[in-house]
């Protein structure tokens, strides 16, 4: 079973490229972030023609998450417990929740497509929101794991944090001044380990960026960041037999500024002969 995550940076602009890659790489499940559309605007036809059903959570032209799967999608939820909301210039307990989280169970595996808030700057309210969002995510997933022993769990997506110095190759990011590399953000990611979640890709792919800004020739200069991850529970990690970062998807015409990250699991899926042929 092949599971991947990809910040597609507008699915309507990149649907052909996304579906072609999924078919070419024989992907069973893709978690998408920044789809930037409502469900009624999502280009379902091309996914369905390729044999995928899609769960979608999008509210407007910003943010948005989705999961496409060849296998049945069950137990869909569009938020985790206590997920914080945000509205610029407003504080309080009842802020609107953005379209940043989508959970589903597929082939006995609990999967989440997550688009963590950017943070914007260290003195911005969005930075406090980001840290709170990550803390509440960890707390909720810790409770879920305790209540569902033995069920594999993976958190996949754009986490907007470069956890290690080696994950940061953009010279415009300055320690002490920039988000994505601040100690509190890194600590929030490291805290996933407290509930048993680990980066299941890094042991197999220790080096490599997943994001390059469109500006200033960042990709040709390889001035990128590693901010897209698959964090798995021990039961999920035990199933992983391979992993890859698909750097070449940053090349070519109108690419996303992120590339796919994929893992292969030792789990049976439906017979390949039943899948549509894509040419």
């Amino acid at each position: 079973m092949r599971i991947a995550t990809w910040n597609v940076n507008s699915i309507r602009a990149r649907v052909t490229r996304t579906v072609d890659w999924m078919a070419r790489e024989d992907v069973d499940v893709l978690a998408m972030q920044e789809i930037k559309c409502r469900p009624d605007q999502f280009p379902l036809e091309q996914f369905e023609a390729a044999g995928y059903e899609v769960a979608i959570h999008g509210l407007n032209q910003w943010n948005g998450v989705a999961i496409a799967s060849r296998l049945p999608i069950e137990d869909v939820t569009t938020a985790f417990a206590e997920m914080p909301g945000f509205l610029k210039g407003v504080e309080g307990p009842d802020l609107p929740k953005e379209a940043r989280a989508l959970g589903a169970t597929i082939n006995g595996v609990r999967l989440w497509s997550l688009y963590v808030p950017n943070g914007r700057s260290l003195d911005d309210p969005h930075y406090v929101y980001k840290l709170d969002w990550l803390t509440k995510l960890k707390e909720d997933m810790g409770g879920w794991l305790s209540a569902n022993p033995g069920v594999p769990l993976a958190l996949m997506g754009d986490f907007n944090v470069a956890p290690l110095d080696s994950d940061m190759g953009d010279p415009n990011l300055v320690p002490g001044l920039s988000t994505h590399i601040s100690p509190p953000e890194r600590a929030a990611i490291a805290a996933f380990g407290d509930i048993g979640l680990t980066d299941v890709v890094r042991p197999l792919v220790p080096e490599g960026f997943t994001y390059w800004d469109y500006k200033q020739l960042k990709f040709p200069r390889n001035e990128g960041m590693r901010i897209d991850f698959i964090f798995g529970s021990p039961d999920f990690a035990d199933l992983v037999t391979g992993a890859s970062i698909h750097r070449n998807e940053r090349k070519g015409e109108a690419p996303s500024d992120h590339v796919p990250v994929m893992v292969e699991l030792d789990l049976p899926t439906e017979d390949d002969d039943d899948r549509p042929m894509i040419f």
Side-chain angles (χ1 to χ4, degrees), residues 159-187:
F159 285 80
N160 270 315
V161 180
L164 306 179
D165 287 345
S166 59
D167 296 333
M168 194 276 288
D170 188 337
N172 289 347
L173 295 182
V174 180
L177 298 177
S178 303
T179 61
H180 292 61
I181 58 173
S182 71
E185 290 169 288
R186 288 178 166 180

Side-chain angles (χ1 to χ4, degrees), residues 37-49:
C37 67
R38 302 186 309 268
D40 62 294
Q41 298 171 317
F42 193 96
L44 272 173
E45 295 81 4
Q46 287 180 254
F47 282 87
E48 291 174 343

